[in-house]
Amino acid sequence: MTKLNCKTNNGYIEGYYGKILTWDDRNRILERLKKNKMSKYFYAPKEDTYHRKNWRQPYKKTWNQSFKLFCKNARSKKIDVLFGISPGIDFNFNNLDRIEKDNDFKILLKKCSDSLKLGAKSIVLQFDDIPDNFAEKKNIGLSEGIAHARLANKLSDNLKCDIYVVPRIYSDELIRAPYNYLLDFGLCIKDTLKIFYCGKNVVEKKINQNSLKTVSKFLRNEIVLWDNFYANDYCPSRLFVGPWKHRSSKISIMINPTGMIETDLLIIDIVGNQLLNNDYKNWKNVIIENNVM
């Protein structure tokens, strides 16, 4: 049975396409998260080439210094930084069990270890938004779901921290017959790992227990909802800053908003108001307090 933990997983996901924040922006978000008693900042910007496209390459010294200071600032505010890395496009699963110094797992492990040394609290292994072409890769001998789960398990075995995973199938609407991915993934993944999932749809209108009905058939892990309610990277002309409603307070939820700093600060206040007061109707007061006329 899927586990829920609404008290420890809420916060901000920097996980959108098309925009990347400055460190000053990120520190402003930390202040707003603290104000709203939100506990997580998930670093996973798609436009950071070292996060996804060039995931094997180490970060530059200047980035390391900035990330270390950012994590220190977050820690002072009792906010955990989750470091996301997305190797799924071209990770070589053929040598997953080998011990060569330069194989992909060793590279991934070092990059994750380095982020923890700099102050990250947890690691998020991401397989979202990669091509559905795993079967075309030769001589792997594993299904895609099992391969992704084994990599996550091995990372967990080698790191002393919480490991989260974003599976390739991260909402019900992405499930395609014969349903092997989540079935294989669920059979293999360690139940101590936490899983990000969007619910029935990538952009879910209502989040409640029914949002997890399908994924609960496959996973017994703790689920954190990746909420794209305010996201607009898939439609830049769309901008919504209305009430954050139809969300259950009994489910762990992190928001992936717009990447526009002033808008996102407002959204954090709207979401925080709902989390703290359980009354989405107060959102109009939040709008006024943020001088939005």
Side-chain angles (χ1 to χ4, degrees):
M1 179 179 292
T2 295
K3 294 178 283 187
L4 304 172
N5 191 345
C6 59
K7 294 183 179 180
T8 59
N9 285 299
N10 56 69
Y12 182 93
I13 303 173
E14 186 184 347
Y16 28 74
Y17 290 90
K19 305 177 185 72
I20 190 164
L21 300 176
T22 67
W23 291 108
D24 285 342
D25 291 339
R26 295 178 183 120
N27 284 309
R28 291 181 67 192
I29 289 172
L30 290 180
E31 290 288 347
R32 200 59 61 96
L33 293 175
K34 178 185 177 182
K35 170 191 169 185
N36 288 283
K37 295 181 171 57
M38 298 168 78
S39 61
K40 309 287 184 187
Y41 189 109
F42 176 7
Y43 179 90
K46 298 292 194 297
E47 305 308 317
D48 177 349
T49 59
Y50 298 98
H51 159 74
R52 186 176 175 90
K53 183 179 179 181
N54 299 314
W55 67 269
R56 292 181 182 85
Q57 297 182 20
Y59 281 98
K60 304 297 183 182
K61 184 177 180 180
T62 52
W63 185 93
N64 288 337
Q65 292 170 339
S66 296
F67 186 71
K68 183 176 182 179
L69 289 173
F70 174 72
C71 291
K72 182 179 180 180
N73 187 19
R75 194 161 52 248
S76 72
K77 295 172 172 55
K78 298 182 180 180
I79 296 169
D80 295 338
V81 175
L82 282 60
F83 174 79
I85 187 162
S86 183
I89 293 176
D90 60 359
F91 188 91
N92 183 0
F93 288 92
N94 282 313
N95 59 14
L96 181 58
D97 294 321
R98 300 174 188 171
I99 57 173
E100 290 92 339
K101 183 178 181 180
D102 59 348
N103 78 348
D104 275 359
F105 179 74
K106 293 292 184 180
I107 294 170
L108 177 65
L109 179 62
K110 185 179 187 310
K111 196 158 187 177
C112 292
S113 298
D114 288 346
S115 75
L116 294 172
K117 291 175 182 177
L118 292 169
K121 186 74 171 180
S122 306
I123 300 296
V124 186
L125 182 63
Q126 297 180 241
F127 299 108
D128 51 317
D129 299 347
I130 61 176
D132 181 10
N133 63 355
F134 193 83
E136 299 171 9
K137 299 176 182 179
K138 299 180 180 179
N139 302 320
I140 293 177
L142 297 173
S143 74
E144 182 183 23
I146 289 176
H148 289 176
R150 284 188 61 193
L151 177 56
N153 291 345
K154 187 168 183 178
L155 199 62
S156 175
D157 290 340
N158 284 270
L159 294 174
K160 295 180 179 179
C161 70
D162 283 339
I163 302 292
Y164 297 71
V165 186
V166 185
R168 184 175 65 77
I169 303 299
Y170 55 85
S171 81
D172 294 359
E173 70 175 292
L174 299 177
I175 297 174
R176 300 290 182 269
Y179 317 117
N180 290 339
Y181 180 88
L182 282 179
L183 177 61
D184 290 348
F185 182 84
L187 288 173
C188 188
I189 195 77
K190 292 167 56 177
D191 61 9
T192 54
L193 276 61
K194 301 175 176 65
I195 308 296
F196 276 100
Y197 202 76
C198 291
K200 293 181 179 180
N201 300 288
V202 175
V203 182
E204 187 78 313
K205 292 182 179 180
K206 297 181 179 180
I207 292 179
N208 51 40
Q209 296 288 350
N210 286 332
S211 302
L212 304 178
K213 187 175 181 180
T214 298
V215 73
S216 295
K217 296 177 183 178
F218 301 103
L219 301 178
R220 59 196 179 278
N221 304 67
E222 180 181 333
I223 299 291
V224 181
L225 266 294
W226 177 307
D227 190 2
N228 289 313
F229 187 64
Y230 291 106
N232 72 338
D233 54 358
Y234 63 94
C235 184
S237 61
R238 173 190 182 273
L239 183 63
F240 175 72
V241 290
W244 190 65
K245 58 183 179 178
H246 305 308
R247 266 84 182 124
S248 170
S249 60
K250 297 180 180 180
I251 297 177
S252 299
I253 304 177
M254 293 184 65
I255 56 167
N256 177 49
T258 71
M260 297 181 286
I261 181 61
E262 302 300 337
T263 301
D264 285 1
L265 293 175
L266 171 62
I267 289 170
I268 291 170
D269 276 350
I270 293 172
V271 172
N273 172 74
Q274 169 67 5
L275 289 171
L276 291 171
N277 302 312
N278 198 30
D279 182 7
Y280 73 83
K281 295 178 181 178
N282 280 338
W283 75 276
K284 291 183 179 179
N285 294 331
V286 176
I287 294 290
I288 294 171
E289 290 170 1
N290 279 269
N291 298 314
V292 178
M293 306 299 291

